[in-house]
Amino acid sequence: MKLASSPQLLALLPIDRTAGVALHRQIYNGFRRAILGGMLRGGQRVPSTRTLAAELEVSRLPVLTAYEQLLHEGYLTGRVGSGTFVSAVLPDQALRATPLGRPGKVATPKAQPRAKRAPAHDEGGLRPFRVSQPALDQFPRAEWARLVARHARALTPRLMGYGDPAGVEALRAAIAEHVRTARAVRCEADDVIVVSGSQAALRICASVLLTAGDRVALEEPGYPGARSALGTSGAEIVSVVVDDDGIDIEELLGVRPKLRAAYVTPSHQYPLGVSMSATRRIALIQWAQRNGAWLIEDDYDSEYRYVSRPLGALQGMDENGRVVYMGTFSKVLFPALRMGYLVVPPALRKDFIQAREAFDIFSPTLYQLVLADFLRNGYFARHLRRMRTLYIRRRSALLRGLAQHCAEHLEVVNADAGLHVVTQLRRGVNDVTIVKHMAERGLAGTALSECYAERHARSGLLLGFGGSSERVLLHATRTLGSLLDEMDQARSD
């Protein structure tokens, strides 16, 4: 069993210093809930007390106390020289406890064939400020290459034939274990469907959940790729404003006729970066249940948070099977892998598999096998830990550069998570024009105004930092500052 890395466990161990509950009791309760709920499985190794204490930003004593109690009661077991693991057989009192249930059955809509249209995309390549670009130069290529070579040599005629449209079972099991632990998602391997990235996931959602004439809500501002992908169903797109707590529920409630679905990015809203509050999440789930609507949760880069602990997924709060959860490996590994996944309610599984098979039959078996081993053998968890440290440094370099070279022209609005920061330009400055001039100087970036569909657009820049070194980012901010100075001077003349 792979190690449940401490950063991934943070969503299952919400530490609240204002709750009046001892820290060791909060840690104990978090582990017990995760074990009983199936998010941590028998044989899965847990972090050392020292590592977990550092990640939780607490002293080692409460972690030691919690582990001792869990070991005493039989939830954890120690192996000399190997570490601490979740017990394969739980104590009697745990077996009598009520675990988190699977989502209930819901009415299943009929799948409809859809026309295909390629979404627009940024041609920024590896240029500085490219949004959503991970640190490709830091990917563990040697380990990946060894796994590819091993599985390529072991390919049998059966594995070389047509594969399961839902995906290789080993990969689905590894993904289910990862999202249960890291994102508090309620799922089993059978609930996971492997797809070729986020756009494919959205197109499949459109095919199953929507028909021509349906209405689907999208965040405003929001991800343009979702607008184009969900629009392939012939559904009407309804823009619903986003505030500091996420999508506006009052506005959602006022939409008539009623909506069939809503697409949301609750953990790290694209593009503004806000995180949906717990109150808003509960209200959104209640809205979906009362209206028989579907929620499409895009958890596109939830692994990276810099100012607070990771937030659990919206899907994990849903007990009625109204949330379709989607994730991708493009931003945590590399985009060319073309591998993403859906976690679908059991009642929708058959229709989603049929739609996935109609889309492109199945994903390449070789790379599914490689990715399964990459997850199970701990490479993925180690890579996430390394990248989080690296991205903190790169984010800091970008913020320093913007403060030094661009402060007169733009304001940083949000840099809490993900691989880009959100900035706002001074009133009257055209961000689309700036992005065009940035391209002429070897820079990428995205205009904030292009993420708006209907409302009065704010002018700003989305500046990625994941794919460039600190030195390159500092140089790029100097170039951007010079460009903004020149454009400001030209307007003054």
Side-chain angles (χ1 to χ4, degrees):
M1 277 286 183
K2 76 174 182 65
L3 169 70
S5 76
S6 43
Q8 294 175 336
L9 275 174
L10 297 185
L12 303 178
L13 303 175
I15 300 299
D16 184 356
R17 289 174 171 80
T18 66
V21 179
L23 293 178
H24 75 271
R25 175 57 58 177
Q26 294 186 48
I27 296 169
Y28 166 85
N29 289 339
F31 268 107
R32 186 175 183 276
R33 283 194 301 267
I35 293 169
L36 295 180
M39 280 102 173
L40 292 176
R41 299 299 175 89
Q44 190 169 357
R45 186 154 61 98
V46 299
S48 69
T49 57
R50 190 182 306 277
T51 300
L52 185 58
E55 290 292 343
L56 292 175
E57 299 178 359
V58 301
S59 72
R60 197 177 174 196
L61 180 60
V63 181
L64 281 167
T65 304
Y67 272 37
E68 288 174 0
Q69 185 68 22
L70 291 161
L71 286 162
H72 175 72
E73 294 182 6
Y75 294 100
L76 299 180
T77 182
R79 300 178 192 170
V80 177
S82 298
T84 305
F85 297 78
V86 177
S87 296
V89 179
L90 296 182
D92 290 344
Q93 67 266 30
L95 295 176
R96 290 195 293 269
T98 302
L100 294 172
R102 289 171 59 87
K105 297 259 183 179
V106 288
T108 305
K110 295 181 179 179
Q112 299 289 333
R114 302 285 166 242
K116 298 182 179 180
R117 183 179 70 213
H121 61 281
D122 180 7
E123 298 291 350
L126 298 177
R127 292 181 292 174
F129 302 145
R130 170 70 154 88
V131 173
S132 299
Q133 185 76 278
L136 301 178
D137 58 322
Q138 299 298 312
F139 183 75
R141 292 190 294 275
E143 290 85 351
W144 182 264
R146 282 195 291 271
L147 291 174
V148 171
R150 190 180 81 194
H151 282 287
R153 288 192 297 268
L155 278 180
T156 63
R158 181 182 65 81
L159 292 174
M160 294 168 67
Y162 287 95
D164 186 338
V168 170
E169 183 177 2
L171 177 57
R172 290 188 284 111
I175 290 172
E177 183 173 297
H178 166 64
V179 296
R180 280 195 307 264
T181 303
R183 306 296 303 125
V185 170
R186 300 169 183 250
C187 73
E188 302 293 339
D190 284 347
D191 303 319
V192 177
I193 299 176
V194 179
V195 297
S196 54
S198 294
Q199 289 304 119
L202 286 166
R203 293 281 296 277
I204 293 168
C205 285
S207 176
V208 175
L209 303 179
L210 303 170
T211 58
D214 284 341
R215 311 182 86 207
V216 55
L218 265 69
E219 298 164 325
E220 174 80 336
Y223 175 46
R227 185 172 293 273
S228 65
L230 296 176
T232 61
S233 65
E236 177 188 354
I237 307 295
V238 178
S239 297
V240 178
V241 72
V242 170
D243 61 23
D244 290 342
D245 287 324
I247 194 167
D248 190 322
I249 301 297
E250 291 302 318
E251 186 170 323
L252 202 62
L253 290 169
V255 175
R256 294 288 184 274
K258 73 177 185 178
L259 296 159
R260 179 63 172 160
Y263 166 85
V264 291
T265 52
S267 294
H268 183 224
Q269 199 275 334
Y270 187 92
L272 297 181
V274 302
S275 298
M276 188 179 294
S277 66
T279 301
R280 191 69 60 87
R281 289 170 183 240
I282 292 169
L284 181 61
I285 291 171
Q286 290 174 343
W287 168 83
Q289 176 64 14
R290 286 196 300 266
N291 290 274
W294 302 106
L295 297 175
I296 303 170
E297 178 181 10
D298 189 347
D299 212 21
Y300 67 100
D301 66 358
S302 59
E303 288 84 358
Y304 301 120
R305 292 195 66 79
Y306 311 114
V307 299
S308 64
R309 295 185 178 88
L311 303 169
L314 178 74
Q315 191 267 8
M317 301 173 68
D318 171 35
E319 298 182 352
N320 301 298
R322 305 307 306 184
V323 178
V324 176
Y325 176 89
M326 54 182 281
T328 178
F329 292 102
S330 293
K331 297 170 186 63
V332 291
L333 297 180
F334 56 96
L337 179 60
R338 305 313 308 138
M339 203 78 74
Y341 52 91
L342 288 159
V343 177
V344 302
L348 295 178
R349 175 177 167 78
K350 180 178 179 181
D351 285 342
F352 263 88
I353 290 177
Q354 288 177 347
R356 193 266 174 273
E357 187 171 22
F359 186 74
D360 64 351
I361 307 179
F362 69 103
S363 295
T365 301
L366 173 61
Y367 293 107
Q368 290 190 69
L369 293 169
V370 172
L371 182 54
D373 271 4
F374 197 79
L375 285 161
R376 291 184 302 187
N377 294 342
Y379 296 120
F380 183 71
R382 286 197 293 273
H383 182 61
L384 285 184
R385 288 196 297 271
R386 288 182 58 244
M387 290 303 97
R388 187 174 186 274
T389 300
L390 177 72
Y391 292 147
I392 288 173
R393 295 200 305 267
R394 292 186 173 184
R395 166 183 170 269
S396 297
L398 174 57
L399 294 177
R400 286 198 310 272
L402 292 176
Q404 184 176 353
H405 303 295
C406 307
E408 294 183 4
H409 304 285
L410 55 77
E411 175 188 1
V412 174
V413 176
N414 192 296
D416 291 353
L419 298 179
H420 74 267
V421 303
V422 188
T423 69
Q424 185 169 351
L425 292 160
R426 293 188 307 185
R427 187 178 299 276
V429 178
N430 189 309
D431 55 1
V432 175
T433 300
I434 290 175
V435 168
K436 289 179 180 177
H437 286 297
M438 288 171 65
E440 295 168 359
R441 302 197 183 194
L443 304 177
T446 298
L448 175 60
S449 65
E450 293 195 328
C451 296
Y452 287 81
E454 299 174 10
R455 312 298 171 94
H456 178 67
R458 295 163 63 181
S459 181
L461 300 173
L462 308 183
L463 303 174
F465 56 83
S468 301
S469 69
E470 295 161 65
R471 179 185 61 80
V472 169
L473 288 167
L474 289 170
H475 179 75
T477 56
R478 188 179 301 113
T479 302
L480 177 59
S482 297
L483 170 61
L484 295 173
D485 285 340
E486 292 171 16
M487 295 184 67
D488 188 52
Q489 184 61 44
R491 284 191 298 272
S492 299
D493 295 343

